[in-house]
Amino acid sequence: MKTLIFATNNDHKVAEIKSVLNNRFNLLSLKDAGINIDIPEPYPTLEENAREKARVINRLTDEDCFSEDTGLEVTSLNGEPGVKSARYSGENRSFENNIDKLLLNLGHQKNREAQFRTVICLIRKGKEKLFEGVCKGTIIAERKGNAGFGYDPVFVPEGAEKTFAEMPLNEKNLFSHRKKAMEKLITFLLSEEAD
Ligand code: ITT
């Protein structure tokens, strides 16, 4: 079975990706691979940051790997927090503080439209390839649910009546940006494997 390193320090992402892979590949998180570094995300786009994370780990290990960068893009906030989603609340960043800042900035805004966008960067045999997944939805005024992570308690995906944080993982996967991007990656890898 092919082994792939997933260049992330986010355990929630690892759990979600593993649920989609369903044992089709042997996934190693950075922790599994014994790598303990905070990978920089210095760029203004998800694409550039995803590339940077994959390149750092590929240089370090010389192994095939992939990374992902995800942002919550809110229409009435001109696409914010976007690429800054993880560090939206600054120095004292936490999922809690990030949601507080988001709800404060949205205030009583009528337009609550938003989307999660995931960009995966795969480095395989030295070549880079990007895969994107988008999930449209709305931001509600108060948190609901305890599952998931990040902005899940205030995000209701299009076609659902509850937040991501009110869904078990298999239900989040029916809508998820990350799952959509992963399916594209898996299709690509399986076609490459057939080569
Ligand atoms: P790595 O860079 O180590 O992969 P990270 O947590 O820093 O992990 P990102 O830079 O992609 O990941 O930050 C994205 C942030 O957006 C993340 O910290 C969450 O707050 C939020 N986020 C990402 N995916 C999400 C999801 O599926 N549901 C809710 N919030 C999410």
Side-chain angles (χ1 to χ4, degrees):
M1 195 192 300
K2 176 154 184 58
T3 295
L4 272 177
I5 299 178
F6 179 24
T8 184
N9 286 311
N10 182 324
D11 292 339
H12 300 278
K13 287 185 181 181
V14 175
E16 291 194 6
I17 297 280
K18 279 192 171 161
S19 79
V20 178
L21 277 178
N22 204 7
N23 294 327
R24 281 174 284 186
F25 296 90
N26 179 29
L27 192 79
L28 291 184
S29 66
L30 290 183
K31 214 185 274 171
D32 297 332
I35 299 167
N36 181 14
I37 54 168
D38 198 16
I39 313 172
E41 299 180 40
Y43 297 109
T45 65
L46 298 176
E47 285 78 3
E48 290 166 290
N49 284 330
R51 276 205 171 95
E52 178 67 14
K53 290 191 252 191
R55 283 176 188 170
V56 167
I57 298 307
N58 179 250
R59 275 198 295 264
L60 203 64
T61 62
D62 213 18
E63 298 285 345
D64 290 352
C65 67
F66 72 96
S67 66
E68 67 107 290
D69 207 32
T70 295
L72 176 67
E73 301 171 336
V74 181
T75 307
S76 62
L77 299 178
N78 299 316
E80 286 214 341
V83 73
K84 291 179 287 192
S85 293
R87 49 206 142 90
Y88 195 37
S89 52
E91 281 295 292
N92 292 324
R93 71 188 202 176
S94 66
F95 294 151
E96 285 301 300
N97 292 346
N98 286 344
I99 291 180
D100 284 343
K101 179 165 179 189
L102 175 68
L103 294 181
L104 189 70
N105 285 351
L106 266 175
H108 295 295
Q109 177 65 244
K110 284 237 162 55
N111 181 355
R112 319 278 303 184
E113 226 176 68
Q115 65 177 26
F116 276 114
R117 193 161 71 86
T118 290
V119 175
I120 289 177
C121 177
L122 169 73
I123 302 185
R124 180 176 154 78
K125 296 179 185 165
K127 280 199 205 138
E128 290 179 15
K129 199 163 165 60
L130 298 181
F131 305 88
E132 186 190 65
V134 172
C135 174
K136 290 182 185 296
T138 50
I139 305 295
I140 57 169
E142 282 176 15
R143 295 164 167 83
K144 282 189 186 164
N146 299 307
F149 71 105
Y151 300 91
D152 280 348
V154 291
F155 184 85
V156 177
E158 226 171 63
E161 291 187 353
K162 47 187 172 176
T163 67
F164 270 160
E166 293 178 290
M167 299 181 184
L169 190 44
N170 60 350
E171 196 177 350
K172 179 175 177 180
N173 278 342
L174 298 175
F175 305 94
S176 159
H177 41 291
R178 180 163 296 106
K179 158 100 189 257
K180 287 176 189 160
M182 267 315 282
E183 288 294 359
K184 291 179 187 171
L185 170 69
I186 292 166
T187 302
F188 175 78
L189 286 172
L190 292 176
S191 69
E192 289 280 295
E193 291 295 306
D195 277 353

